[in-house]
Amino acid sequence: MSTSRSFLHLEKSPVESYPSDPSSTTDLHNLSDASDASDSKLASLRKNPWAVVWCVYAVWVVLLVSFENQAGGNIIGIPQFRKDFGREFRSEDGSGKVTVTWVLAAGWQSAFQGAPIASAVIGALGCGQIADMLGRRIVIMLCLFITFIAITMEFVATTNALFFGGKFLNGFATGALASVCVTYIGEIAPLALRGMLTCLTALAYTLGPLIVAFIVNTTGVYTNRWAYRAVFCSQYGFAITASMGVFFMPESPWWLVSKSRPTHALAALHKLGHTGPSADTRLAEITYTLDEVKKETAGVTYLECFRHSNLRRTLISISPLCIQSLSGIVFAASYSTYYMQLAGFSTSLSFKLQIMQQVISLLGNVFSWYLVDRVGRRKLTFWGLAVLTVVLFLMAGLATVGTPAELKGAVSMILVYCFVYNVTIGASAYTILCEVSTSRLRVKTISIGLALQNALNTMWSFTLPYLFNPDKLNLGGKLGFVFGGLSLLCLGGLWWGLPETRLRTFGELDRMFVERVPARRFENFKNDGRV
């Protein structure tokens, strides 16, 4: 069947859009599953180049999110920012030597860090409902518009209040963008490339901070407002590029089918590179999967995420994201530069070490592209968190000794942490989030996961300044005891509850969850070809 014939066939009527015999639809669905499962990564890339291109575009939009998140943390390490928005702090050692530093008030520091994350919770949850009503593409457009306004507020701010307003508004937009982009990637990525492409989301969370680190290394030593304004000015470039691409972005065919728009879904599949029989087969797979899922998700509200087998899937989907926050990534991402300065490194050297940290994180994510399919989601996540737990306790132990050499050793543990984190749970969490969530509830489940993660990050953002700052409890690297202890508890939950989902189609996963297959039996479970 040619592309034109396929499209005209669907124009006739909704009834004629699919085979009248249910078994025929099932056969098409299973044929698509078998074809996807047998493709190598290279073969899948050759078959679906445009789907990969639009996945990369969605990752670029997430890069805007990560840039904003990291910019909020890194500017605290810029002395000029603390001078313009903070106050002078004098400390005296045992010999009577007085050290003068500029410190941002813990209250404002908490507000700058926590408020945008809190608004991201609202953005993520609101996005779930709006994206199901208006579509993925429209939501991205609206969020980019809000982002331009927020960046401008951050850039021109000379008072804590205005800067806070820009951060809060941008948090709403970035929370929504993170949810809808991860959903979009999960829906259009080919099966053989799904693990790698969802891990690319985590790459954005390392590449954005790396770019911030390069900018801060260049401008952070300035003694005027451009020391930190240059960071926010650079955000315009990412936002403009993302805005140019959104007008050509194909809508998710999963969303279009859920809205009973098969003609438009087929057109979207054509833009994603599916032509002829391939487009019909893919459309049949999407339709069949959504029809089957409707039996347990009628109504498609947030409440449905917590009913029947969906409750288990929701908990599994969101757990790795929450564990990211509980295992200390907020400290490593937002406070490492500041901690390096407190540990005795010069401002200039701390900025260079920040660049090294982000390069290490990026390399770690690249390793995850291979390991997430080779090792599997379950093993990579569990054993990665186990190694992170050891690293956190080592960092805390070195910080407790407190000599200059041991403090530098604690800083080196942060670098090790960032590498291991991005090889393992930092990347695999997004793959698990996309794969385990129910097809018809995917955007809502992802919104819940990111909202809960942001809620935890909000808690840390308001708490860490009081635990970490030298004029407060001054725990510094000893925070590793806190995060290490929480990681130990999380390891138990992963061992008992996290299934292996690699190379499983969405149809297979639907059936396995409906049949309540235990988590540790997922990897060896045999499907009979039916959902």
Side-chain angles (χ1 to χ4, degrees):
M1 182 183 294
S2 67
T3 302
S4 58
R5 282 186 61 196
S6 172
F7 187 85
L8 290 172
H9 171 70
L10 286 170
E11 285 280 78
K12 294 178 181 178
S13 72
V15 176
E16 294 177 355
S17 298
Y18 314 107
S20 57
D21 181 2
S23 64
S24 299
T25 307
T26 306
D27 290 341
L28 281 172
H29 164 72
N30 291 331
L31 176 63
S32 176
D33 282 355
S35 174
D36 280 352
S38 63
D39 284 341
S40 66
K41 283 183 171 59
L42 184 59
S44 185
L45 178 60
R46 287 171 176 168
K47 284 173 58 178
N48 307 280
W50 282 109
V52 174
V53 166
W54 286 110
C55 282
V56 172
Y57 166 76
V59 170
W60 180 267
V61 178
V62 176
L63 181 63
L64 178 63
V65 176
S66 70
F67 192 102
E68 166 65 18
N69 292 345
Q70 189 67 22
N74 270 30
I75 57 170
I76 296 173
I78 299 176
Q80 187 63 38
F81 181 83
R82 299 199 301 269
K83 183 176 181 179
D84 289 344
F85 291 87
R87 61 182 177 84
E88 186 180 275
F89 175 71
R90 295 175 178 269
S91 59
E92 184 176 340
D93 59 20
S95 63
K97 181 181 178 181
V98 177
T99 302
V100 179
T101 58
W102 291 92
V103 177
L104 186 64
W108 279 116
Q109 191 171 328
S110 296
F112 292 162
Q113 294 276 17
I117 302 176
S119 65
V121 175
I122 302 171
L125 290 175
C127 161
Q129 195 67 37
I130 297 171
D132 274 344
M133 292 172 55
L134 303 179
R136 294 27 171 162
R137 184 167 169 264
I138 296 297
V139 170
I140 292 177
M141 286 182 176
L142 292 173
C143 290
L144 288 173
F145 176 75
I146 295 172
T147 293
F148 277 108
I149 298 174
I151 294 173
T152 302
M153 292 174 66
E154 294 174 9
F155 177 72
V156 303
T158 57
T159 65
N160 286 336
L162 182 58
F163 186 77
F164 169 82
K167 296 295 293 180
F168 185 84
L169 185 61
N170 224 350
F172 177 84
T174 55
L177 284 173
S179 297
V180 74
C181 288
V182 171
T183 301
Y184 186 74
I185 293 170
E187 289 177 337
I188 71 170
L191 175 60
L193 296 171
R194 195 170 64 203
M196 184 183 76
L197 290 173
T198 48
C199 282
L200 276 177
T201 302
L203 175 67
Y205 285 103
T206 62
L207 188 56
L210 176 61
I211 297 171
V212 172
F214 274 119
I215 296 170
V216 170
N217 180 61
T218 303
T219 66
V221 294
Y222 291 177
T223 55
N224 55 43
R225 293 187 183 276
W226 279 103
Y228 51 88
R229 277 183 170 174
V231 177
F232 302 111
C233 187
S234 301
Q235 286 183 268
Y236 283 117
F238 294 101
I240 290 171
T241 307
S243 299
M244 292 169 60
V246 74
F247 294 101
F248 305 96
M249 171 187 175
E251 182 55 84
S252 166
W254 287 82
W255 179 78
L256 290 167
V257 171
S258 73
K259 294 299 180 181
S260 301
R261 295 165 61 183
T263 302
H264 294 89
L266 189 63
L269 286 168
H270 290 165
K271 289 183 180 180
L272 292 169
H274 300 281
T275 57
S278 170
D280 290 322
T281 303
R282 179 64 61 190
L283 186 60
E285 177 198 6
I286 295 171
T287 304
Y288 185 82
T289 301
L290 288 176
D291 285 345
E292 289 297 302
V293 171
K294 281 182 183 178
K295 297 174 183 179
E296 287 213 352
T297 61
V300 199
T301 64
Y302 276 109
L303 187 60
E304 296 302 324
C305 296
F306 302 96
R307 290 179 177 172
H308 308 297
S309 64
N310 298 327
L311 173 59
R312 181 188 177 199
R313 298 180 74 160
T314 300
L315 293 176
I316 294 172
S317 297
I318 68 178
S319 291
L321 277 182
C322 296
I323 292 172
Q324 285 183 348
S325 180
L326 294 174
S327 63
I329 189 57
V330 176
F331 171 74
S334 298
Y335 288 88
S336 57
T337 303
Y338 193 13
Y339 182 55
M340 291 169 188
Q341 294 171 12
L342 295 176
F345 292 96
S346 67
T347 300
S348 177
L349 183 55
S350 70
F351 291 156
K352 289 179 171 60
L353 286 173
Q354 176 68 11
I355 293 175
M356 181 185 297
Q357 176 181 328
Q358 301 307 333
V359 170
I360 288 172
S361 297
L362 189 148
L363 290 175
N365 179 262
V366 173
F367 276 106
S368 75
W369 303 351
Y370 172 76
L371 293 176
V372 73
D373 286 323
R374 180 67 176 179
V375 176
R377 286 67 157 145
R378 176 182 164 87
K379 291 178 182 176
L380 193 64
T381 304
F382 177 82
W383 292 111
L385 183 61
V387 174
L388 287 177
T389 303
V390 174
V391 172
L392 286 166
F393 280 121
L394 285 174
M395 179 185 74
L398 290 168
T400 300
V401 176
T403 64
E406 274 68 27
L407 287 176
K408 291 179 179 179
V411 169
S412 70
M413 287 297 102
I414 295 178
L415 301 181
V416 174
Y417 174 96
C418 289
F419 178 77
V420 176
Y421 173 87
N422 283 284
V423 171
T424 58
I425 193 170
S428 63
Y430 296 98
T431 303
I432 294 166
L433 182 65
C434 288
E435 289 183 335
V436 176
S437 53
T438 305
S439 301
R440 200 157 176 254
L441 297 172
R442 186 171 296 118
V443 68
K444 287 184 170 59
T445 305
I446 290 174
S447 296
I448 291 171
L450 290 172
L452 186 54
Q453 182 193 49
N454 282 322
L456 289 170
N457 289 343
T458 301
M459 180 269 293
W460 287 125
S461 295
F462 280 102
T463 304
L464 284 176
Y466 295 94
L467 299 176
F468 178 80
N469 269 14
D471 59 339
K472 298 298 180 181
L473 289 181
N474 196 27
L475 291 181
K478 293 190 284 291
L479 282 168
F481 287 127
V482 176
F483 294 120
L486 292 172
S487 297
L488 277 177
L489 297 176
C490 294
L491 281 171
L494 289 177
W495 177 258
W496 289 106
L498 183 63
E500 180 54 70
T501 58
R502 64 172 172 174
L503 296 181
R504 294 287 188 179
T505 67
F506 288 136
E508 286 178 318
L509 291 172
D510 288 341
R511 181 190 172 207
M512 292 161 76
F513 277 108
V514 169
E515 294 188 5
R516 300 180 182 178
V517 177
R520 284 181 287 175
R521 286 183 53 200
F522 260 61
E523 187 169 11
N524 299 316
F525 186 80
K526 303 296 183 184
N527 275 282
D528 61 5
R530 298 174 60 193
V531 177

